[in-house]
Structure formats: C-alpha cells, structure tokens
Amino acid sequence: MKLNQTRRGFLLAALAGTCLLPITSQAATIIVGTGNDTSYFVLQSPNLGERTYEVNYTYHSSAAQDGFFLLNQIIAAEATTDFVVFNFGPMAAPNYFLNSLSSGGVTETNTSASPFAPYWAHWVAGGQAGFPTASPTSSGTWSLGSGISAPYRLIEPGSWDGLFYSDGLTAPSVVPIPEASSAVLAQLGAVVMFKRRRSS
C-alpha cells in the first residue's frame, strides 16, 4: 500500500524525533530552575549514589555562568544538601574546588593526607575550562577540570559538569551526551524535505 506525501512526511518527522530520543532522554533525572538554556551537573560518590541534574537558566555571554553557579542552584533546590568549597585563587578571581558535600545525613570530605584520595574530582564536558585561563573543552567526553568557578570554568548551553568522589582517575559513569545542535536538527529537516521532493 502506497503512503501519500503528507503521511510519509509525518512518519519521517516522527522518525527524526525518535532519533533524538537517546540525546534527550539520557539528560537529567532532576530538573532545577527555569530558562531557555540547559546545562547538566552530575554528583557521584559511593555513599551518596549518583544524581544527574538538568539546570535550566538564561544564558548571557556578557555575564557567563560557571560550575559554581550550577552547584548553588542545585543546593538551593535540594534544601537538605550542603557543601563546603575551598579557594585556590585570589579573592578577585576565586578558584573554587569542592571540599565536602553533605546529603541525607552522609558527608563526603576530601582526604587531607597523602595520597589525598578519595576527593571530589571535578570533570567537565563542553563549555570552557582550564588553568590559568579557560579555553574550549570537548563535548561528549569527560576531562578533568581546574576548579568549578570562573575564570577557570565557564558553562555554555549543553555543557556538563561532574563532581565524582573518587581517586580522580575515573570519570563519572554518566555519559555527557551533547544536546542536539541546530545543525543536526536542520539536517534532519533537510532529510524530510528531500524525501518529500523525491516522492513528488
């Protein structure tokens, strides 16, 4: 049985949407905040478990946000969770690292004696990170960060931050899947249009 053009176009559009499901469905399990843009934050430790947060906000390139902003949004939303940071940088340009995190009566604190593990290792994917200044980082794969605050960490829509209480050698188990870019969406739309033209 032949499908008419309208029904065929609808099915192709539905298929295109299905192709995006792995990108969107593996996002966060806990949604925090509102806004047009989304970044993701993973908290993982043996005693606190694994949580992935989708933090919604409005991005302004003139006043870029950092991982410290994301963490503060999560803590404010959780209400029962608390954290302590330490600063490696000057007050004018703080370089915050997580020292301890408490949740549900459990506290994970950085080990203060050699070999200094486990500790809250910071991982990033997308956005900008680095020392002495932040530079673009790869999306879709974890790399070690250099502190959760600007100027060493700048988030961008679709970027991921992870704090993993571990030896610092193993990345979080959550895969930092990049958001579907407008280019990908445009390509999917082009496929639908191409199919429609061929069938006419």
Side-chain angles (χ1 to χ4, degrees), residues 5 8 12 190-200:
Q5 289 182 359
R8 189 175 294 171
L12 286 169
V191 168
V192 172
M193 292 302 294
F194 177 72
K195 289 289 187 183
R196 281 185 178 176
R197 284 183 182 170
R198 276 191 72 183
S199 59
S200 59

Side-chain angles (χ1 to χ4, degrees), residues 35-140:
N36 300 326
D37 302 303
T38 304
S39 287
Y40 305 94
F41 206 106
V42 176
L43 290 174
Q44 186 174 344
S45 82
N47 296 313
L48 295 178
E50 178 187 289
R51 299 178 226 168
T52 306
Y53 297 86
E54 175 181 321
V55 183
N56 299 317
Y57 61 98
T58 300
Y59 176 78
H60 297 286
S61 58
S62 60
Q65 300 291 1
D66 55 15
F68 189 56
F69 161 79
L70 296 180
L71 184 58
N72 272 289
Q73 302 308 302
I74 292 165
I75 298 305
E78 291 270 309
T80 57
T81 301
D82 194 17
F83 70 96
V84 176
V85 297
F86 61 91
N87 181 16
F88 267 163
M91 292 308 295
N95 190 13
Y96 293 140
F97 287 80
L98 183 66
N99 185 58
S100 69
L101 192 142
S102 301
S103 182
V106 177
T107 299
E108 302 277 31
T109 303
N110 290 351
T111 305
S112 58
S114 182
F116 304 105
Y119 73 101
W120 283 105
H122 179 223
W123 295 84
V124 297
Q128 299 183 44
F131 182 86
T133 57
S135 58
T137 61
S138 297
S139 296

